[in-house]
Amino acid sequence: MKALIIGSGGREHALASKVAENSNVEVVYCAPGNGGTYRENKCENINITQIDELLSFAIESKIDITIVGSEEWLVQGIVDKFNEKGLKILGPCEKAARLEGSKSYSKEFMKKYGIKTAAYEVFEDENKAIDYLKNCEYPIVIKADGLAAGKGVVICNDFFAAKSSINDFMVVDIFKGSGKKIVIEEFLEGVEASILSITDGKVILPFVSSKDHKQIFDGGIGPNTGGMGAIAPNPYCTKEVLDEFYKNILLPTLKGIQEEKMDYRGIMFFGIMITKKGVYSLEYNVRFGDPETQAVLPLMKSDFTELVISAIDRDLENFELLWKKGYSCCLIAASKGYPGKYNTGYEISESGKLEGKLYLAGAICDDGLLKTNGGRVLGITGFGETLAKARKIAYADMKKVQFDGMYYRKDIGK
Ligand code: AMP
Ligand code: GLY
């Protein structure tokens, strides 16, 4: 089998190495991949990123399965284009990708199918939005409708902060169109969980739960990032929480996908908030999470490639999805200055053998040397029978990797 993984993050490195575990897989092309996929067994980086080029490559190279990492391609309809040519690809059709591509659409969908979510209003006129803010309770959450590279959500503590954000989103247009329409949403207090799952449109199989750590500093302080570390399973996801999630969020979402006649054979990532008033749906992502994937996939016991094929072939109901016992803890090391401005091009050195697994992200292989090339540079996942053991391994491994300006949180999973 030949596989194609589209994307260049730590998530894609984790996907590529998991697909490569299947003995029928002969080669995993990574477009464009990174320094990690460059070094990975059976993997080969190819420098293409445009949908039409990816499609031609998949046809010419007789690719058997394609997995898309980032939402950008999904929202642009890559799945429909691959399907038209009879190629197997994991991901939602363009219409279903709007569940991530448009916050107002996903909120409407949740409302229509009775999925428990925060109360909200949608605005396209800044004056009406500001009028609405005058009678709101604070804090309040303001969300850009469209994709904003994970930066489109702000929590505002008072009217003035909210008004200023609305100005940035709708007038200054900091998201180049994505914030012209906004969602203003009730603030929910609680703990978050990420539940990745796979669907074939007939069933949704949830994966082991996980927990991201979004803020840059220890204790959840500072600006939001793409994610500074993840653990799995999420200790807050008790049986009661998962039962409630299944009944009030997962099942009605499946009903919605079916009634809206979406061709959804892909990953569905539920962002949920566990509150005193119950479990709420925060958002849908239509792809794997980063760094959740680096924590969750290594715990999968069943063959991942077979799982993906089973979803694409609409046969998940016959798939037995099994998990390893124990915990994982993934730490992310970032460039100094991230999520703001940072420099790249620093050499990454490794000393000694790691006990966990190293996933490279913003890192390239240049003349045989690994060099930093992004904000989130790499991740290390440790495993253990307990979360404490998994953490210990990940933190010990982190000491064996170095680059100038390397920064990581010290409290992941604490
Ligand atoms: P989203 O892209 O909708 O998941 O929002 C990004 C992050 O903003 C989430 O992971 C939460 O940390 C936070 N967030 C979003 N919506 C709310 C809400 N209604 N209440 C509290 N925090 C929220
Ligand atoms: N870690 C959150 C995300 O992938 O959206």
Side-chain angles (χ1 to χ4, degrees):
M1 258 193 294
K2 292 179 183 175
L4 171 63
I5 310 285
I6 304 176
S8 62
R11 162 182 60 198
E12 286 78 7
H13 184 186
L15 290 167
S17 74
K18 196 75 181 167
V19 167
E21 280 177 15
N22 181 301
S23 58
N24 294 322
V25 172
E26 153 203 349
V27 54
V28 184
Y29 293 104
C30 303
N34 62 31
T37 54
Y38 179 83
R39 302 197 305 182
E40 196 69 45
N41 183 28
K42 298 190 199 172
C43 294
E44 203 175 302
N45 286 355
I46 49 164
N47 195 18
I48 50 174
T49 52
Q50 300 301 312
I51 292 183
D52 290 340
E53 287 174 338
L54 291 162
L55 185 59
S56 306
F57 175 81
I59 296 169
E60 282 159 23
S61 309
K62 300 194 167 51
I63 297 294
D64 297 288
I65 53 162
T66 297
I67 304 177
V68 187
S70 157
E71 63 278 11
E72 302 277 343
W73 288 284
L74 296 167
V75 168
Q76 286 174 41
I78 190 170
V79 169
D80 310 64
K81 291 199 173 151
F82 271 56
N83 280 337
E84 274 165 30
K85 299 286 178 198
L87 292 162
K88 285 190 197 288
I89 182 166
L90 185 76
C93 66
E94 186 175 356
K95 179 177 167 186
R98 286 186 74 211
L99 288 172
E100 174 163 2
S102 165
K103 297 266 186 216
S104 59
Y105 177 73
S106 78
K107 293 293 285 189
E108 260 170 54
F109 177 95
M110 290 183 220
K111 196 165 162 183
K112 183 168 173 190
Y113 293 99
I115 295 156
K116 192 157 160 175
T117 190
Y120 74 101
E121 293 289 336
V122 178
F123 295 95
E124 288 184 80
D125 176 312
E126 71 263 22
N127 295 317
K128 286 190 182 146
I130 291 167
D131 263 353
Y132 175 79
L133 288 178
K134 290 177 183 153
N135 299 312
C136 282
E137 273 184 39
Y138 289 86
I140 194 104
V141 186
I142 299 181
K143 300 186 174 186
D145 184 60
L147 294 182
K151 300 191 174 78
V153 176
V154 285
I155 294 167
C156 304
N157 286 322
D158 57 44
F159 171 76
F160 298 101
K163 191 175 164 198
S164 158
S165 287
I166 285 180
N167 191 54
D168 288 346
F169 282 31
M170 303 182 87
V171 183
V172 182
D173 194 18
I174 57 172
F175 299 124
K176 301 196 170 61
S178 282
K180 285 275 185 194
K181 187 172 180 180
I182 58 164
V183 172
I184 302 184
E185 186 173 297
E186 167 198 13
F187 175 77
L188 298 173
E189 208 174 336
V191 284
E192 273 178 70
S194 302
I195 304 191
L196 300 178
S197 69
I198 190 162
T199 182
D200 58 0
K202 297 199 287 189
V203 295
I204 303 180
L205 294 184
F207 292 179
V208 154
S209 62
S210 59
K211 180 168 170 52
D212 191 6
H213 296 66
K214 286 209 163 82
Q215 286 85 8
I216 186 77
F217 301 124
D218 285 16
I221 295 167
N224 264 351
T225 69
M228 291 302 293
I231 54 166
N234 183 327
Y236 294 98
C237 288
T238 58
K239 186 177 179 305
E240 291 72 39
V241 165
L242 290 174
D243 285 349
E244 194 178 328
F245 158 74
Y246 202 83
K247 182 165 153 268
N248 295 343
I249 300 175
L250 186 147
L251 287 180
T253 298
L254 179 60
K255 183 163 182 269
I257 287 171
Q258 290 168 345
E259 289 197 10
E260 298 296 322
K261 300 203 173 2
M262 291 169 173
D263 181 3
Y264 202 143
R265 288 172 283 154
I267 296 301
M268 170 147 259
F269 162 169
F270 296 88
I272 63 168
M273 184 75 95
I274 306 159
T275 77
K276 284 190 182 130
K277 295 185 289 179
V279 180
Y280 284 72
S281 167
L282 270 188
E283 62 160 352
Y284 296 117
N285 293 311
V286 295
R287 41 128 188 121
F288 287 94
D290 189 339
E292 288 91 334
T293 302
Q294 295 92 303
V296 169
L297 272 195
L299 292 175
M300 191 180 284
K301 196 164 161 189
S302 308
D303 184 84
F304 176 62
T305 307
E306 282 172 17
L307 173 71
V308 170
I309 293 170
S310 167
I312 298 172
D313 292 343
R314 297 194 175 88
D315 196 27
L316 279 183
E317 61 199 339
N318 294 314
F319 195 92
E320 193 182 12
L321 181 52
L322 301 172
W323 297 92
K324 294 176 190 162
K325 287 214 167 65
Y327 287 82
S328 65
C329 175
C330 172
L331 312 178
I332 298 294
S335 299
K336 183 179 169 194
Y338 175 79
K341 286 206 176 88
Y342 54 84
N343 294 322
T344 59
Y346 300 111
E347 195 179 324
I348 303 169
S349 62
E350 300 158 276
S351 59
K353 198 175 173 329
L354 303 188
E355 207 177 319
K357 170 84 185 164
L358 172 67
Y359 294 114
L360 293 169
I364 49 164
C365 209
D366 182 12
D367 257 349
L369 293 178
L370 272 187
K371 290 188 179 161
T372 68
N373 186 44
R376 290 191 294 171
V377 174
L378 55 88
I380 293 178
T381 304
F383 316 95
E385 305 101 74
T386 62
L387 181 55
K389 279 200 179 153
R391 287 191 74 220
K392 201 169 161 199
I393 291 168
Y395 277 103
D397 277 352
M398 224 12 144
K399 295 223 162 63
K400 299 177 191 160
V401 180
Q402 251 161 5
F403 55 88
D404 266 4
M406 173 171 165
Y407 167 79
Y408 57 96
R409 275 178 64 164
K410 305 292 183 302
D411 67 339
I412 304 302
K414 202 169 181 176

